[in-house]
């Protein structure tokens, strides 16, 4: 595949100081695996002084599990931007307003075949009745607890994630789109939709990280595949859509690369390392 730029400008990667990538559908293959090739390339990035950032809708613990060999060298943007960590230091937390949580759950109660999850910094909470869904959840949330009623949880919530076994865009979004006036409503994957604070998105989180490290958009490389990546793609001159990306991502990103199953991220990182 040819690497394309909308304005057909040549890539000059020599000034890149930060690489940011989504996880599912982007860095992870269809089996939810990180390649050995990536870990080798990360060492090359580290040697060049380039900071790596993992940005995902996943739980922080789940992201760290996937990137365990390099966990002490990276920044993690978790829960679609609601929570940012570097090693054991919290860089940013943007919780959902507590007054909104139960209103959301009441709305979800009126919907069919959906599975809500309360996402917090250290654990996810789901309903006892969601036994089948719990098996699916394990891939994305390594730390979770089952409750009889999610409305009984009184702690801070970063977001409410909703899962549909067929399509979140078709079967969840139409029921919650009216909430966009007050909160962030984001179709974050084929099966997931997230409800969070207006500023709990990957773009806001990445901007804070860029400011912290004094890194400009033209010094940032970003990879993504779904609608929850749109805001962070806009924070980079060198934004890449995967070949398997949602059409909105392909329209937003300045460049394209191969699919997640064909080492799309790794191929570009190899170019970056040679620059």
């Amino acid at each position: 595949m040819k690497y394309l730029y909308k304005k057909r400008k040549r890539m000059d990667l020599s000034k890149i100081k930060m690489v940011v990538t989504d996880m599912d559908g982007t860095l992870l293959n269809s089996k939810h695996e990180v390649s050995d090739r990536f870990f080798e390339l990360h060492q090359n990035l580290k040697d060049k002084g380039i900071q790596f950032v993992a940005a995902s809708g996943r739980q922080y613990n789940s992201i760290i599990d996937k990137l365990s060999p390099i966990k002490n060298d990276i920044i993690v943007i978790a829960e679609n931007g609601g929570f940012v960590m570097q090693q054991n230091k919290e860089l940013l937390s943007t919780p959902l307003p507590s007054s909104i949580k139960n209103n959301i759950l009441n709305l979800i109660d009126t919907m069919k075949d959906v599975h809500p999850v309360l996402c917090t910094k250290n654990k996810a909470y789901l309903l006892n009745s969601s036994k089948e869904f719990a098996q699916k959840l394990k891939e994305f949330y390594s730390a979770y607890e089952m409750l009889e009623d999610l409305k009984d949880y009184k702690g801070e919530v970063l977001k409410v994630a909703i899962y549909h076994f067929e399509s979140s865009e078709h079967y969840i979004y139409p029921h919650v789109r009216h909430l966009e006036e007050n909160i962030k409503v984001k179709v974050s994957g084929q099966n997931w939709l997230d409800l969070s604070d207006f500023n709990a998105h990957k773009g806001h989180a990445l901007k804070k990280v860029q400011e912290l490290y004094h890194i400009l958009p033209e010094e940032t490389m970003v990879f993504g595949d779904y609608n929850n990546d749109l805001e962070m793609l806009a924070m980079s001159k060198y934004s890449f859509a995967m070949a398997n990306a949602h059409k909105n991502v392909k329209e937003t990103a300045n460049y394209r690369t191969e699919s997640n199953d064909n080492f799309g991220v790794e191929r570009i990182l190899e170019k970056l390392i040679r620059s």
Side-chain angles (χ1 to χ4, degrees):
M1 178 180 176
K2 201 172 183 181
Y3 306 114
L4 301 175
Y5 183 56
K6 291 179 181 177
K7 297 181 180 177
R8 300 188 182 279
K9 291 184 179 179
R10 186 177 65 86
M11 291 192 299
D12 178 10
L13 305 179
S14 61
K15 296 181 180 179
I16 297 296
K17 297 179 180 179
M18 178 174 285
V19 170
V20 186
T21 177
D22 170 54
M23 296 289 284
D24 294 278
T26 304
L27 183 61
L28 304 182
N29 62 24
S30 295
K31 296 179 180 179
H32 305 292
E33 300 167 333
V34 182
S35 71
D36 292 337
R37 189 174 176 182
F38 167 75
F39 287 116
E40 294 170 1
L41 290 168
H42 177 266
Q43 183 59 51
N44 297 134
L45 294 178
K46 186 178 176 182
D47 292 343
K48 287 174 70 76
I50 298 173
Q51 177 68 55
F52 178 76
V53 181
S56 176
R58 283 176 176 254
Q59 178 186 62
Y60 171 74
N61 293 330
S62 176
I63 300 169
I64 288 298
D65 287 346
K66 294 293 183 183
L67 298 172
S68 180
I70 59 174
K71 65 182 181 181
N72 292 325
D73 299 319
I74 68 176
I75 296 171
V76 173
I77 296 175
E79 305 290 3
N80 273 337
F83 189 45
V84 184
M85 291 282 287
Q86 184 175 27
Q87 295 186 21
N88 294 318
K89 181 181 179 182
E90 181 179 310
L91 302 184
L92 178 69
S93 175
T94 310
L96 182 71
S98 58
S99 59
I100 295 176
K101 184 203 71 170
N102 283 354
N103 290 338
I104 291 172
L105 293 175
N106 287 332
L107 175 61
I108 293 173
D109 284 343
T110 68
M111 300 161 59
K112 293 181 179 180
D113 302 320
V114 298
H115 302 273
V117 183
L118 298 184
C119 305
T120 73
K121 292 179 182 179
N122 300 307
K123 190 181 289 188
Y125 296 88
L126 66 155
L127 292 169
N128 277 330
S129 57
S130 302
K131 296 291 193 300
E132 179 186 4
F133 171 60
Q135 295 304 310
K136 178 69 69 174
L137 185 81
K138 289 178 181 178
E139 173 55 43
F140 305 95
Y141 291 86
S142 53
Y144 69 91
E145 183 178 329
M146 304 186 82
L147 301 176
E148 194 65 39
D149 189 345
L150 297 184
K151 299 185 191 73
D152 292 337
Y153 180 75
K154 305 302 181 185
E156 183 181 82
V157 172
L158 294 171
K159 71 178 185 185
V160 178
I162 314 173
Y163 186 93
H164 191 282
F165 276 95
E166 293 181 34
S167 171
S168 57
E169 193 163 12
H170 292 150
Y171 297 107
I172 302 176
Y173 180 67
H175 298 283
V176 298
R177 63 186 304 171
H178 65 281
L179 300 176
E180 290 178 323
E181 294 181 3
N182 299 304
I183 60 175
K184 178 67 71 174
V185 177
K186 185 63 68 173
V187 176
S188 58
Q190 175 66 31
N191 308 100
W192 291 99
L193 182 142
D194 293 337
L195 303 171
S196 60
D197 182 87
F198 262 129
N199 287 324
H201 58 79
K202 294 182 183 181
H204 177 74
L206 177 54
K207 182 179 180 181
K208 294 298 183 182
V209 172
Q210 287 173 318
E211 290 172 351
L212 181 64
Y213 278 82
H214 307 290
I215 291 176
L216 301 172
E218 54 266 35
E219 298 170 327
T220 307
M221 177 180 284
V222 176
F223 298 88
D225 78 305
Y226 229 84
N227 291 338
N228 59 326
D229 299 320
L230 294 174
E231 290 92 346
M232 77 170 182
L233 289 166
M235 299 303 300
S236 168
K237 176 181 177 180
Y238 294 98
S239 54
F240 287 84
M242 311 302 290
N244 52 287
H246 190 285
K247 64 179 182 179
N248 294 343
V249 173
K250 291 179 178 179
E251 291 171 359
T252 299
N254 291 328
Y255 297 84
R256 295 186 188 179
T257 185
E258 300 279 2
S259 73
N260 61 320
D261 284 328
N262 199 22
F263 303 102
V265 172
E266 290 89 338
R267 290 172 187 271
I268 301 300
L269 294 185
E270 287 170 352
K271 286 179 172 287
L272 170 58
I273 289 163
R274 292 195 299 268
S275 66

